[in-house]
């Protein structure tokens, strides 16, 4: 499997595409005016405590107050559980013991603001570098679950503990070894340890010298985060279409990730870099509800605030043997497509998948396994909880930033995000009812109806008889006029 990262950088926005075997798998977009804030550290101010929800709202300087749950707050001391105000759940002290209104608190953003919801926060601070994640409030040394080799896990843990002890810093915070640390030597790990300690010292100084609410640490821009978080041995090339950004990346790579320097390339081509693998076309297709499958079947993907639903249909695929085999092949193909769409669209939260019903238990097992296998490449944490009594596959995918649709789109002003419009016939009958209301309330010789062209056409043709009957009933004249600026659902009844 070959994998490339393409970077399209302009002064207004940065876009990063992850391409596997020539097919777009993930896309990240960061606009200058709308940068994500996940990973940023703030000195905030508690503005409201909600004892009934075991949570609090914190002002971190954004438009909306951010939200923090009691489970995300480090207790003031180890005896917090024994405090008389502790909740009945012994592992979770009561929120009123942990924080109070007006208190300054150092927090880190774990989820960007999504829709009407504010950012999610934690006081369990973690700062990533290339190989390590530094946690200043713990002394634990952990290993990424993606490093599966037990000997390598043990080697890395022993190495870090030894380095911390040798330099007398074993009590100055804990670390998690990232997937990129697999096979890395002591020199690289030690560089990360010193870098992260220096960075935390700098952040600590800012915390002590500033007044809340204020940002004390901002994560790297998208193009540098990509190098830090996504570049693995499997990545063959990182292509960048901006000379200025290329030079910044080269400087960053030489300092922190020298082993990938030969894989970073400047792309000077006249053809836009995202056109190399039809990335632009794939992004447009990723905004559609319907996803065609090669066999002729298709997926229907619907996002709601509570969850995302994915429906699998055979469509035009009729198969070659029998119905069960047709369904099995469609579901197998759908499992692969769904895993890709989750990454491409960055769908998160609760996800419900309605595969076509299968009778054969072995077929069910293979489809389930195919979905699991394809989700292994996902950088976001996923968890398949199993199949419900209704035969639906239930899963979750960690959501830290807005989906592709939410980044690129907004609710339709015509249908208000419903995805459907009232028919011209429905609007005509609403107009009739409005005329009757007006006739009862006001005395006028003529009523002028202003509506969209499609509605006016209906009033003058199919419903012309109803208009005449209504004129006779109210004993008034009804005039009809096209208003070009109106949408199909808009109309006005004016007294003349």
């Amino acid at each position: 499997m070959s994998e490339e990262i393409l970077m399209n950088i302009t002064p207004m926005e940065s876009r990063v595409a992850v391409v596997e075997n020539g097919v777009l798998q993930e896309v990240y977009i960061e606009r200058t005016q709308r940068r994500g804030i996940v990973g940023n550290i703030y000195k905030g101010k508690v503005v409201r405590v909600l004892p009934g929800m075991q949570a609090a709202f914190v002002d971190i300087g954004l438009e909306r107050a951010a939200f923090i749950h009691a489970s995300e707050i480090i207790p003031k001391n180890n005896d917090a559980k024994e405090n008389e105000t502790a909740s009945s759940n012994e592992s979770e002290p009561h929120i009123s013991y942990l924080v109070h209104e007006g208190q300054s608190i150092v927090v880190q953003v774990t989820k960007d603001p999504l829709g009407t919801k504010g950012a999610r926060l934690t006081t369990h601070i973690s700062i990533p570098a290339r190989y390590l994640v530094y946690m200043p409030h713990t002394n634990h040394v952990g290993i990424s679950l993606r490093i599966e080799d037990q000997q390598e896990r043990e080697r890395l843990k022993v190495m870090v503990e030894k380095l911390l002890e040798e330099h007398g810093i074993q009590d100055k915070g804990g670390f998690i070894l990232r997937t990129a640390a697999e096979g890395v030597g002591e020199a690289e790990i030690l560089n990360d340890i010193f870098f992260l300690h220096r960075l935390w010292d700098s952040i600590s100084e800012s915390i002590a010298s500033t007044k809340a609410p204020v940002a004390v640490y901002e994560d790297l821009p998208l193009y540098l985060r990509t190098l830090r978080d996504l570049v693995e041995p499997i990545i063959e090339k990182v292509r960048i279409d901006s000379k200025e950004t290329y030079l910044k990346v080269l400087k960053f790579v030489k300092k922190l990730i020298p082993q990938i320097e030969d894989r970073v390339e400047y792309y000077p081509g006249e053809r836009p870099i995202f056109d190399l693998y039809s990335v632009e076309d794939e992004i447009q297709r990723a905004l559609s509800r319907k996803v065609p499958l090669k066999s002729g079947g298709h997926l229907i993907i619907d996002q709601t605030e509570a969850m995302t639903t994915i429906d699998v249909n055979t469509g035009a695929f009729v198969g070659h043997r029998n119905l069960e085999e047709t369904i099995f092949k469609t579901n197998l193909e759908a499992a692969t497509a769904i895993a890709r769409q989750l990454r491409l669209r960055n769908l998160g939260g609760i996800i419900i998948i309605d595969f076509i019903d299968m009778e054969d238990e072995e077929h069910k097992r293979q489809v389930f396994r195919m979905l699991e296998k394809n989700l292994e490449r996902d950088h976001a944490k996923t968890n398949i909880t199993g199949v419900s009594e209704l035969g639906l596959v239930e899963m979750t995918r960690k959501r830290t930033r807005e989906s592709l649709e939410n980044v690129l789109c907004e609710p339709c002003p015509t249908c208000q995000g419903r995805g459907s419009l009232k028919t011209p016939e429905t609007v005509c009958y609403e107009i009739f009812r409005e005329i009757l209301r007006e006739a009862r309330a006001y005395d006028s010789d003529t009523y002028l109806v202003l509506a969209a062209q499609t509605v006016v056409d209906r009033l003058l043709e199919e419903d012309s008889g109803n208009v005449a009957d209504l004129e006779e009933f109210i004993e008034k004249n009804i005039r009809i006029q096209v208003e070009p600026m109106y949408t199909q659902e808009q109309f006005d009844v004016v007294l003349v």
Side-chain angles (χ1 to χ4, degrees):
M1 178 184 289
S2 65
E3 196 168 310
E4 291 187 31
I5 290 177
L6 310 179
M7 295 189 186
N8 169 227
I9 311 294
T10 66
M12 300 79 68
E13 73 174 357
S14 301
R15 299 190 300 168
V16 173
V18 179
V19 177
E20 290 179 6
N21 296 327
V23 179
L24 178 66
Q25 299 293 331
E26 293 181 56
V27 62
Y28 300 83
I29 299 173
E30 183 176 270
R31 289 171 177 163
T32 307
Q33 302 297 324
R34 194 182 168 190
R35 273 193 66 180
I37 59 170
V38 170
N40 289 5
I41 300 174
Y42 294 84
K43 184 177 182 180
K45 188 174 185 180
V46 179
V47 292
R48 192 179 177 196
V49 177
L50 306 171
M53 293 178 64
Q54 272 285 81
F57 285 108
V58 181
D59 178 12
I60 57 174
L62 302 182
E63 184 179 339
R64 288 191 300 273
F67 178 88
I68 189 167
H69 190 266
S71 60
E72 295 291 344
I73 301 176
I74 299 173
K76 298 173 186 176
N77 56 59
N78 293 331
D79 300 324
K81 288 186 288 187
E82 299 171 12
N83 189 278
E84 61 183 5
T85 58
S87 67
S88 57
N89 179 357
E90 289 188 2
S91 63
E92 192 176 282
H94 199 279
I95 187 69
S96 58
Y97 170 73
L98 296 170
V99 293
H100 59 267
E101 289 185 14
Q103 174 185 338
S104 290
I105 182 172
V106 178
V107 291
Q108 186 170 36
V109 177
T110 57
K111 287 186 181 179
D112 277 326
L114 296 171
T116 58
K117 299 175 182 176
R120 289 292 297 266
L121 306 174
T122 183
T123 61
H124 297 271
I125 307 296
S126 61
I127 307 170
R130 174 59 180 162
Y131 304 112
L132 300 171
V133 175
Y134 177 55
M135 300 174 295
H137 301 313
T138 178
N139 291 321
H140 172 72
V141 175
I143 314 283
S144 166
L145 293 175
R146 289 179 182 267
I147 300 178
E148 297 178 354
D149 186 284
Q150 196 56 44
Q151 285 187 325
E152 178 63 7
R153 292 174 66 86
E154 188 61 30
R155 181 188 77 87
L156 289 170
K157 186 171 184 179
V158 169
M159 181 202 301
V160 171
E161 289 174 345
K162 173 172 160 270
L163 289 172
L164 294 176
E165 189 175 345
E166 283 178 356
H167 292 84
I169 50 178
Q170 63 266 44
D171 296 324
K172 292 186 178 181
F175 292 92
I176 294 175
L177 286 127
R178 307 182 70 179
T179 310
E182 191 168 6
V184 169
E186 286 190 6
E188 292 91 344
I189 297 295
L190 193 58
N191 283 339
D192 263 16
I193 291 173
F194 287 152
F195 166 76
L196 288 167
H197 273 142
R198 287 195 301 270
L199 179 57
W200 178 244
D201 288 343
S202 172
I203 293 170
S204 299
E205 287 178 14
S206 297
I207 292 169
S209 62
T210 55
K211 188 176 180 181
V214 65
V216 293
Y217 167 77
E218 291 188 359
D219 204 358
L220 297 170
L222 176 62
Y223 57 89
L224 295 182
R225 287 203 311 275
T226 299
L227 295 168
R228 183 191 69 194
D229 299 340
L230 300 183
V231 176
E232 301 172 353
I234 196 172
I235 300 291
E236 291 184 351
K237 293 290 179 187
V238 177
R239 298 184 181 185
I240 307 165
D241 68 356
S242 162
K243 186 73 172 180
E244 182 183 356
T245 303
Y246 168 72
L247 294 174
K248 289 179 182 177
V249 165
L250 218 52
K251 185 177 178 181
F252 177 84
V253 164
K254 284 179 178 177
K255 184 177 180 181
L256 293 174
I257 329 171
Q259 68 273 23
I260 71 164
E261 184 179 346
D262 61 335
R263 288 184 258 167
V264 179
E265 289 183 359
Y266 169 57
Y267 175 77
E270 291 184 9
R271 189 182 178 197
I273 192 169
F274 269 26
D275 288 356
L276 289 178
Y277 297 106
S278 303
V279 172
E280 298 288 8
D281 293 338
E282 287 289 344
I283 291 174
Q284 294 306 313
R285 282 195 282 269
L287 299 176
S288 172
R289 285 181 70 228
K290 188 174 181 178
V291 180
L293 302 175
K294 289 181 180 178
S295 64
H298 62 267
L299 310 176
I300 298 293
I301 302 176
D302 285 309
Q303 290 185 62
T304 69
E305 190 164 338
M307 67 181 71
T308 298
T309 61
I310 303 176
D311 187 32
V312 183
N313 297 283
T314 54
F317 182 49
V318 294
H320 303 290
R321 296 183 184 176
N322 55 53
L323 179 61
E324 180 67 21
E325 194 66 26
T326 301
I327 290 172
F328 175 54
K329 286 191 69 174
T330 304
N331 281 340
L332 272 181
E333 187 181 357
T336 301
I338 288 168
R340 175 174 175 259
Q341 290 297 322
L342 295 182
R343 294 174 65 187
L344 180 56
R345 298 171 186 241
N346 192 35
L347 299 173
I350 300 170
I351 298 161
I352 305 295
I353 306 169
D354 185 10
F355 285 107
I356 307 166
D357 289 339
M358 294 173 286
E359 299 293 333
D360 192 317
E361 290 298 323
E362 178 60 21
H363 285 176
K364 290 180 183 179
R365 190 192 66 78
Q366 287 188 44
V367 169
F368 196 79
R369 176 62 192 131
M370 178 66 74
L371 180 63
E372 286 183 323
K373 181 182 176 184
N374 282 281
L375 287 172
E376 288 173 0
R377 292 288 302 145
D378 199 336
H379 293 103
K381 184 179 179 181
T382 58
N383 178 37
I384 304 177
T385 59
V387 182
S388 72
E389 292 180 5
L390 297 176
L392 304 173
V393 174
E394 300 174 349
M395 64 171 289
T396 59
R397 184 174 186 269
K398 188 174 181 181
R399 175 166 51 195
T400 57
R401 56 191 174 94
E402 291 188 294
S403 68
L404 185 66
E405 180 181 307
N406 287 339
V407 170
L408 299 180
C409 305
E410 63 181 18
C412 169
T414 302
C415 71
Q416 303 303 319
R418 293 196 314 270
S420 59
L421 288 175
K422 294 175 184 174
T423 64
E425 180 184 20
T426 299
V427 179
C428 286
Y429 281 87
E430 288 183 356
I431 290 171
F432 296 154
R433 289 192 293 272
E434 182 62 24
I435 291 173
L436 284 169
R437 275 193 291 270
E438 298 273 356
R440 290 190 181 106
Y442 307 102
D443 186 24
S444 177
D445 293 331
T446 303
Y447 295 92
L448 173 63
V449 176
L450 300 174
Q453 182 71 60
T454 52
V455 176
V456 169
D457 289 345
R458 173 100 194 178
L459 288 169
L460 295 177
E461 293 170 10
E462 292 97 324
D463 281 315
S464 57
N466 291 329
V467 174
D469 291 342
L470 187 57
E471 283 182 312
E472 185 178 344
F473 180 77
I474 65 175
E475 299 179 344
K476 307 290 182 184
N477 293 323
I478 297 174
R479 286 171 46 200
I480 300 168
Q481 181 178 315
V482 173
E483 176 51 65
M485 299 300 291
Y486 279 13
T487 64
Q488 186 164 291
E489 294 188 358
Q490 286 180 293
F491 68 85
D492 277 310
V493 177
V494 182
L495 306 181
V496 179

